[in-house]
Amino acid sequence: MMHCTPLSHFTRLALCLAAAGALAACGTTPTPPSGTAAAPTTDVAATTAQVRRAEIAPALYELAFSPRQNAVFVASAGGFGDDAPASKVLRLNPDTLAIEAEITLPLRGFGVVLDDAQDRLYVSHGLDGAISVIDTASGRIIGRIALAAKVRGADGKEKFEHHFRELVLDAAHHRLYAPGLSSEGSALYVINTRTLQLEKVMDGFGPVATGIALDAAGQRLFVSNLRGNLYEVDTQNLTVAQSHSVGADQLINLAYDTRGQRLLATDQGLDAINARRQASEPGFVPTPGNRVVVFDPATAAITASIPTGAGPIALLLDEARQRLFVTNRGAGTVTVFDARSHALLQTFELPKHPNSLAFDARRNVLYVSVKNGREAERGGAESVVRIAF
């Protein structure tokens, strides 16, 4: 897509936010003051690449690179205690990773998606049923979109019907798509980016829908869940065109390969999720996990299985250079594959736990948010890593 080992994006959030990158180690340390540079820590050695890491702020999640603003934007949820610091979007210098500006959020922010042409950054408030809209040129919040409503649970407490992590922008249709996940049944929320209003809520995406990817040219959207289901949505009429049960249980994140006409997915293979399913579903046999699976998007047939490090979360495709980047949360690595042959090209050993990815295609630079491990001080600042190839 939150202490937080999101199972860690989530025991409760692995069933609720299960994947914004395993929300492990949620923080409570104050964010550096506006305009103050976060001092880079020791660089991580890697062959044929320059790697820089900087401690930024507590509870980092998704990030985005803006060619138009020449900046990296990263969401800091702030923390989860009563006295936790405010949630913010931080604007980072793309070369030094110094904090150039801070934008305080009204609610805790987790997922981000950038509409660079319109100078907009959308931020999902995963636990609060809303999305904030930021003008990246001015650094101001220009709107808030209400999504899910609160419902009363069996325990008598009110909670939001769905949680949110990743967002996908469909510029051609002036829409934003947000899977609303729940262990009791997920939905797809469709937002009109012209009016900043909720356009439609589509039900029927099964338990804990986390993965989402757009095939803009094909006018279709793919959504996956943590129960081995894959859905195709027709973006012209907003209907589910196809649904499949596939041989991969924990499809956490998706990416669409425009050139190769393929759908790729990280299949986590977390033991904790498998154990819960085995306890509740007698006879359940988990699929291997710890891999990227490649699908034929027309049939949902698996055409390849690419072993990764333990607990893969995010994947990002560099179509121009035919490379696939994967964060392996459990292993503490970022792996780089040849997208055509699936050969492993490089492995970057990072502090645990690598989470989300953003890419500057022009300068060939990868950005990674890195969450703290259990051994770290609670509420400590988490990191962003810059890998220049």
Side-chain angles (χ1 to χ4, degrees):
M1 182 181 316
M2 322 182 182
H3 195 88
C4 327
T5 267
L7 214 243
S8 197
H9 223 278
F10 313 74
T11 290
R12 185 164 66 87
L13 279 188
L15 288 178
C16 271
L17 270 178
L23 304 176
C26 310
T28 54
T29 299
T31 305
S34 179
T36 301
T41 59
T42 304
D43 287 357
V44 183
T47 304
T48 69
Q50 294 180 330
V51 183
R52 175 187 295 270
R53 179 171 66 91
E55 292 184 350
I56 301 297
L60 296 183
Y61 289 96
E62 292 194 338
L63 32 67
F65 173 74
S66 167
R68 188 176 171 96
Q69 301 294 330
N70 191 33
V72 176
F73 295 94
V74 61
S76 165
F80 298 87
D82 293 337
D83 56 351
S87 179
K88 299 177 181 181
V89 166
L90 304 170
R91 176 179 174 136
L92 308 182
N93 182 290
D95 297 316
T96 67
L97 302 180
I99 297 173
E100 296 182 330
E102 300 180 350
I103 305 160
T104 300
L105 297 170
L107 302 164
R108 286 172 296 187
F110 298 99
V112 301
V113 69
L114 180 68
D115 184 351
D116 213 24
Q118 300 298 320
D119 292 329
R120 282 186 177 182
L121 184 75
Y122 297 92
V123 183
S124 67
H125 301 298
L127 302 178
D128 297 291
I131 293 171
S132 282
V133 188
I134 293 172
D135 181 310
T136 55
S138 67
R140 295 185 302 106
I141 296 175
I142 58 174
R144 188 197 300 185
I145 306 162
L147 299 178
K150 282 189 173 182
V151 295
R152 191 173 301 278
D155 57 2
K157 296 180 180 179
E158 285 194 338
K159 61 179 181 179
F160 284 98
E161 184 177 8
H162 293 108
H163 291 166
F164 300 87
R165 51 184 300 270
E166 288 202 327
L167 306 171
V168 163
L169 178 70
D170 182 354
H173 291 99
H174 306 286
R175 288 178 181 144
L176 194 66
Y177 303 107
L181 55 132
S182 167
S183 58
E184 299 169 2
S186 304
L188 180 66
Y189 288 68
V190 183
I191 299 99
N192 185 309
T193 57
R194 285 172 164 166
T195 64
L196 300 185
Q197 298 292 318
L198 187 61
E199 182 176 334
K200 186 174 183 178
V201 180
M202 301 173 61
D203 295 316
F205 291 87
V208 197
T210 59
I212 182 168
L214 177 69
D215 171 13
Q219 301 194 83
R220 55 185 178 174
L221 182 78
F222 298 96
V223 178
S224 64
N225 65 24
L226 295 185
R227 291 297 184 272
N229 300 126
L230 182 64
Y231 304 86
E232 179 190 322
V233 175
D234 182 329
T235 58
Q236 288 185 287
N237 54 29
L238 294 179
T239 59
V240 176
Q242 296 190 76
S243 62
H244 305 273
S245 294
V246 298
D249 298 329
Q250 297 181 29
L251 300 178
I252 191 114
N253 278 10
L254 302 178
Y256 186 74
D257 178 1
T258 303
R259 292 186 181 182
Q261 299 288 292
R262 303 175 302 166
L263 184 67
L264 299 91
T266 42
D267 182 16
Q268 278 190 124
L270 293 185
D271 291 339
I273 293 179
N274 287 335
R276 281 197 299 275
R277 290 196 65 182
Q278 287 171 321
S280 62
E281 303 172 32
F284 168 71
V285 178
T287 56
N290 297 320
R291 60 179 179 163
V292 168
V293 290
V294 183
F295 293 101
D296 177 339
T299 65
I302 295 176
T303 60
S305 177
I306 310 169
T308 65
I313 295 286
L315 72 171
L316 188 152
L317 187 63
D318 173 14
E319 290 196 21
R321 301 171 184 85
Q322 282 297 292
R323 293 176 303 180
L324 176 66
F325 305 110
V326 181
T327 57
N328 304 295
R329 191 176 188 286
T333 61
V334 170
T335 42
V336 187
F337 298 92
D338 184 304
R340 290 162 295 199
S341 69
H342 307 154
L344 177 62
L345 302 177
Q346 286 177 292
T347 298
F348 294 91
E349 301 282 347
L350 301 182
K352 292 186 176 178
H353 301 278
N355 193 62
S356 297
L357 297 167
F359 189 56
D360 176 356
R362 183 179 65 84
R363 296 194 300 171
N364 197 15
V365 176
L366 184 71
Y367 298 94
V368 189
S369 63
V370 179
K371 305 197 63 60
N372 290 341
R374 290 179 178 273
E375 71 284 353
E377 176 186 0
R378 184 177 177 86
E382 296 182 334
S383 303
V384 171
V385 168
R386 178 186 190 273
I387 304 175
F389 292 93

